[in-house]
Every structure is written in C-alpha cells, then in structure tokens.
Amino acid sequence: MLFSEKKIDPREYNPLALAYIGDTVFDLFVRTKLLEGGNRRVTDLHKRAVKLVNASAQAEIVHIMEGELSEDELGILKWGRNAKVNNHPNRSTIGEYHLATGLETLIGFLYLEGKEERLCELLEKAYLNFNKE
C-alpha cells in the first residue's frame, strides 16, 4: 500500500469506509492522469477533474467497466452500491450516487488489498473509454 506500512484488511471495514478511501484514490488517479497530459493552468485541471470526479461520471464509469470485473469484484461493487447512505449530491440521482459509492468501495477495497496493478488496469480502461471525446 502506498502510504502505510501497516496491512489493512478491507474485509474488516464497512463499504462506506472503503468508499471513503476509494474516493480519494480515484481523485488522485484522475488528477495524475490529467497532469500526464502536460502542464496546464490549475483552473483548467480542476475543471477537467470535476467532470470525472462526480457521482454521475462515476456511475457511467461503472457501466464502462462492469464487463471487466470478476465475480468477486462485482460483488464488492454491489456491496458498496447497496450500502445505506443518508444523502446524495443535488447534481446526481440517487441511483447514480449508489453506483458511484459502489465504484468507490471497489477502488478502496482493491487499494487496501494491495491490488494496485488490477486497480490501475480497471481505472486506465475506464479513463480511456470515458475520455474518448
């Protein structure tokens, strides 16, 4: 794991805790990919990041990567999707928010499991497919 020497077992955490870390890992991935595109003004980078790091975009990414997931990964995504949340952003539907939470749960799980290679593989494919515009 990137920032901790202590092994954290993601099975010991609830899906919203995994989504909590998964959200940050996803944000870091997107921002890193944007920097790979060359030096830009920070406001431009932020505008591009916001297009991907939101519930609606993440729900679309779930649809892009669903066929790439193993049964176990799909189970983790559904575990997070079905977690009880108390609210959701105004700019997304509750369904989009649940899918985004599922994605973040899967990302957090893979990250804490130390499966960064698999995590990067999935995120790279989703990022490339999402950014075809």
Side-chain angles (χ1 to χ4, degrees), residues 116-132:
E116 282 125 356
E117 188 175 325
R118 176 63 175 152
L119 175 59
C120 287
E121 176 187 331
L122 289 172
L123 292 178
E124 287 284 344
K125 286 180 183 179
Y127 184 83
L128 291 173
N129 283 311
F130 192 84
N131 281 311
K132 285 185 177 177

Side-chain angles (χ1 to χ4, degrees), residues 56-132:
S56 298
Q58 289 173 322
E60 197 171 323
I61 287 170
V62 168
H63 295 301
I64 290 170
M65 71 165 44
E66 253 176 335
E68 303 288 327
L69 300 179
S70 70
E71 277 188 47
D72 287 342
E73 291 166 342
L74 195 53
I76 294 163
L77 187 137
K78 287 178 180 179
W79 181 45
R81 180 197 66 195
N82 295 334
K84 183 173 178 5
V85 294
N86 294 323
N87 54 16
H88 73 281
N90 294 333
R91 294 187 180 117
S92 68
T93 68
I94 190 70
E96 289 171 332
Y97 190 69
H98 281 288
L99 282 174
T101 302
L103 174 66
E104 291 169 349
T105 300
L106 176 60
I107 291 169
F109 188 94
L110 292 173
Y111 173 73
L112 292 175
E113 273 278 294
K115 295 183 177 177
E116 282 125 356
E117 188 175 325
R118 176 63 175 152
L119 175 59
C120 287
E121 176 187 331
L122 289 172
L123 292 178
E124 287 284 344
K125 286 180 183 179
Y127 184 83
L128 291 173
N129 283 311
F130 192 84
N131 281 311
K132 285 185 177 177

Side-chain angles (χ1 to χ4, degrees), residues 22-40:
D23 176 55
T24 299
V25 171
F26 182 71
D27 189 50
L28 181 60
F29 172 83
V30 168
R31 290 171 185 258
T32 302
K33 294 304 290 181
L34 291 173
L35 284 179
E36 287 177 1
N39 197 12
R40 295 187 177 97

